[in-house]
Amino acid sequence: MEKKQSGPDDGTGAAGRRGGSDDDAGGAPAVLVDVVLPCLNERWALPQVLGALPRGYRAIVVDNGSTDGSGTLAASLGAAVVLEPRRGFGAAAHAGLLAATAEFVAFCDCDGSLDPAQLAPMLELVRSGRADLVLGARRPARGAWPIHARLANALLSRRLRRLTGFPVTDLGPLRLARRSALLGLELTDRRSGYPLEMFLKAHRDGWRVAEVPVSYAPRLGKSKVTGTVRGTLTAVRDMAAQLDAAKRRPPVPTAGKPAGGPPAGARGATP
């Protein structure tokens, strides 16, 4: 099948993709988790990232305008590839969500800084019903996290703790939830505010959120966001807009949510 430009955000999951089907005959495991990997010129990291996926996890690489052949390489390595021409992390992430078909969807950076194998315990928390959304709290290796980005993340986490009461320490990119629930959040940000909008709307809807520590290594290649002061400032502006919107957003009554505290080994709370 030829690669196609992803379709509009109609919620059908009908965005174009190529390759990477683990449901074909021949002994491949059934797809349990679709891993959305927003990608902009990540050719050097792709073999490492895709090779680290556990069995039953399918990569959906969303090519967000790469000029280094990332999409072609990803397809040759067995990943499903979605073309999303609109630039922005949120645009790429949401295109991947719409293309996903598995019950569970995870999001992961495609730069080699995060190990997709760390998604396995996160999946168990959601699959067992002990959490609705699991966030990976980054534990950086030396040189993995620029100081300006670390400070911005600390300030954001502090504001989120005050706003939501959830003891969040890092609004990191590694996260996992059920696909149908994620679509129900009706996320609209298409830039750097997408991860924050997801967290805030999950809190609004009474989701149980858990945070688990994950290793964070130096990325392969140059960052487009936190690796530059300009990119960090853009992300801060996008997230400030989401915080302002959250303050104006009325809470949604919830019913039938499982009771209980955070699972063992994870930091979390039921809002």
Side-chain angles (χ1 to χ4, degrees), residues 37-41 61-67 82-93 190:
L37 296 156
C39 177
L40 177 58
N41 294 330
V61 174
V62 185
D63 190 340
N64 200 206
S66 298
T67 58
V82 174
L83 296 181
E84 177 47 75
R86 293 170 299 174
R87 286 292 181 91
F89 177 84
R190 294 296 178 264

Side-chain angles (χ1 to χ4, degrees), residues 97 102-105 177-186 207:
L97 174 60
E103 180 179 359
F104 303 95
V105 174
R178 280 186 164 81
R179 173 182 174 274
S180 58
L182 288 168
L183 290 172
L185 292 179
E186 299 182 345
W207 288 26

Side-chain angles (χ1 to χ4, degrees), residues 135 138 153 156-157 160 168-173 175 195-196 199:
L135 308 175
R138 290 168 288 185
N153 184 74
L156 174 62
S157 297
L160 290 178
V168 62
T169 64
D170 177 25
L171 197 71
R175 52 189 57 206
L196 177 56
F199 171 79

